[in-house]
């Protein structure tokens, strides 16, 4: 599922969310940053959350962007079976 900028803006106008979450891979990081930045500019009260593989390994670098409020880090749980 992809959401373009115009549809996202309309959804936010209609729904008025408190949070917007982005699941981000490294290959889509720049695009997600652009979209999140525009979203925060248009709706400054929305808390922006980045999660996924790229933010999980680059937490500090992701949080350098002032419009990103939270990073959800992936934690893997392994079970050793005998």
């Amino acid at each position: 599922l992809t959401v373009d900028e115009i549809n996202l803006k309309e959804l936010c106008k209609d729904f008025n969310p408190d949070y917007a979450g982005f699941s981000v891979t490294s290959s889509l990081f720049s695009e997600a940053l652009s979209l999140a930045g525009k979203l925060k500019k248009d709706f400054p009260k929305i808390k922006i959350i980045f999660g996924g593989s790229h933010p999980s390994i680059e937490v500090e670098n992701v949080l350098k962007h002032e419009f990103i409020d939270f990073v959800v880090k992936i934690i893997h749980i392994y079970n050793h079976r005998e």
Side-chain angles (χ1 to χ4, degrees):
L1 177 66
T2 61
V3 179
D4 62 40
E5 186 178 333
I6 295 169
N7 287 337
L8 182 60
K9 194 171 184 177
E10 291 301 316
L11 282 171
C12 288
K13 282 181 183 176
D14 293 341
F15 184 63
N16 192 28
D18 295 322
Y19 300 93
F22 295 80
S23 181
V24 184
T25 60
S26 295
S27 62
L28 294 175
F29 183 66
S30 294
E31 185 177 343
L33 277 179
S34 175
L35 192 57
K38 290 174 185 175
L39 186 63
K40 189 72 161 193
K41 181 180 176 188
D42 292 337
F43 304 94
K45 291 184 179 183
I46 290 179
K47 299 296 183 192
I48 303 292
I49 305 166
F50 267 35
S53 58
H54 186 84
S56 291
I57 59 173
E58 293 288 340
V59 175
E60 293 81 16
N61 288 330
V62 173
L63 287 173
K64 286 180 182 176
H65 301 276
E66 70 228 17
F67 52 86
I68 298 175
D69 299 294
F70 303 100
V71 168
V72 176
K73 188 173 181 178
I74 298 171
I75 298 174
H76 296 280
I77 299 173
Y78 297 96
N79 181 12
H80 177 70
R81 297 183 190 163
E82 296 182 351

